[in-house]
Amino acid sequence: MTINNKPNNFRQRLLSNELLIGSFVKTPSMMVCEVLGQTELDAICLDAEHAPFDRKDIDACLLALRSSHKTSLVRVASSSPEHILNALDCGATGVVVPHVDSMEKAQACVKAARYGKGRGYAGSTRAARYGKNSIQENLEISRNESCVIAQIEDLGGVDNIEAIAAVDGIDCLFIGMMDLSIAYSAAGPKEPQVIAAAEQVCKVAVAANRRLGIFVSNNDDIPFWVERGVSLFLLQSDHGFIKKGAAALFADANKHF
């Protein structure tokens, strides 16, 4: 996501295994994104899979994040090429692709996200600075800056993790603990079989030199996963911030009654 010829180094930081902290946005609001763009968070991830983001919402929110040079990820609605293409053309730094459960799907994600692999080329998008970038500049941005993050959250994803991790062009494997809990019919993400599955993903990713990401509901769990190779943490969401802020306000105000 180069802005005004200022390269975005998020992918390089990710590949360098730097500890990165981001959060989800579930409100299709450019103003929310503009506010969060002023924070110290390393990345903001628009949750277009589980929140009502349409193409115009994604476009507006990415514009707001780019205005503050904030790294922007989009958890796309599906692995379909048009969802990946739209997010990147609108200027996302990268995509988080849900339900990657096979080598073939991982390969298709890379193909859809990379120029020269299969991503449709357009030089008139926001990502291309509306024609200001040369073809070579756009190719370099795609090659060096665009992130492809595959979410592992199904039984097939765990079973096929070695093949998925071997796919060139997958920058990070993001473990979906809640979906894995459902897949294993477990009571929650701290059940032994869920932890074991996630640890297997970590073990294979580390061996394949793939980066790892995860969502945890309790920040005290971060050290456990750092020890297992995780470096990207997407934590909480704007909804959570609003609820916590409102609860804190109510509790503080009640002390004066």
Side-chain angles (χ1 to χ4, degrees):
M1 185 188 67
T2 298
I3 306 175
N4 296 327
N5 283 335
K6 180 180 179 181
N8 182 287
N9 65 354
F10 178 82
R11 181 169 181 264
Q12 301 309 316
R13 295 171 67 197
L14 177 64
L15 295 179
S16 297
N17 218 29
E18 183 176 336
L19 180 63
L20 300 167
I21 305 296
S23 186
F24 285 102
V25 165
K26 294 178 177 288
T27 307
S29 166
M30 64 184 300
M31 189 175 292
V32 168
C33 290
E34 189 175 20
V35 171
L36 290 175
Q38 299 176 36
T39 69
E40 296 300 314
L41 290 168
D42 294 300
I44 299 297
C45 183
L46 308 181
D47 191 357
E49 182 190 16
H50 292 298
F53 284 86
D54 62 21
R55 293 186 68 170
K56 286 187 176 180
D57 294 324
I58 292 172
D59 185 61
C61 289
L62 291 177
L63 173 62
L65 291 168
R66 284 171 69 94
S67 72
S68 58
H69 301 275
K70 180 64 67 179
T71 290
S72 55
L73 305 173
V74 178
R75 180 155 70 177
V76 290
S78 75
S79 59
S80 65
E82 61 266 27
H83 287 145
I84 295 172
L85 175 69
N86 179 67
L88 295 175
D89 277 358
C90 287
T93 311
V95 289
V96 180
V97 185
H99 299 290
V100 178
D101 56 7
S102 69
M103 178 185 68
E104 292 78 13
K105 187 174 284 188
Q107 290 171 331
C109 293
V110 173
K111 181 178 180 180
R114 305 281 191 203
Y115 290 138
K117 300 287 187 181
R119 175 183 171 186
Y121 183 82
S124 59
T125 62
R126 178 180 295 122
R129 296 200 296 159
Y130 300 107
K132 191 169 184 179
N133 287 352
S134 68
I135 292 175
Q136 187 57 41
E137 285 173 325
N138 289 329
L139 293 177
E140 289 179 0
I141 291 169
S142 176
R143 180 169 55 250
N144 298 326
E145 299 182 24
S146 296
C147 294
V148 181
I149 301 173
Q151 193 150 308
I152 307 300
E153 52 189 339
D154 307 281
L155 298 182
V158 176
D159 292 342
N160 298 317
I161 190 59
E162 290 187 3
I164 294 170
V167 173
D168 186 37
I170 295 293
D171 297 310
C172 179
L173 301 173
F174 193 88
I175 304 170
M177 295 296 285
M178 292 306 299
D179 279 87
L180 284 178
S181 299
I182 301 302
Y184 283 98
S185 300
K190 292 195 175 183
E191 290 295 305
Q193 65 267 48
V194 180
I195 297 293
E199 288 183 311
Q200 175 63 13
V201 172
C202 293
K203 180 180 178 181
V204 171
V206 170
N209 198 29
R210 297 289 177 222
R211 298 300 164 249
L212 284 158
I214 202 170
F215 170 92
V216 293
S217 57
N218 189 329
N219 289 351
D220 290 338
D221 293 333
I222 290 175
F224 177 89
W225 294 108
V226 169
E227 290 177 359
R228 284 150 182 79
V230 176
S231 61
L232 173 63
F233 292 86
L234 297 180
L235 308 171
Q236 302 188 37
S237 73
D238 57 320
H239 289 182
F241 302 152
I242 293 169
K243 290 168 66 176
K244 287 183 179 180
L249 170 66
F250 185 79
D252 184 66
N254 261 328
K255 293 189 301 186
H256 302 285
F257 285 92

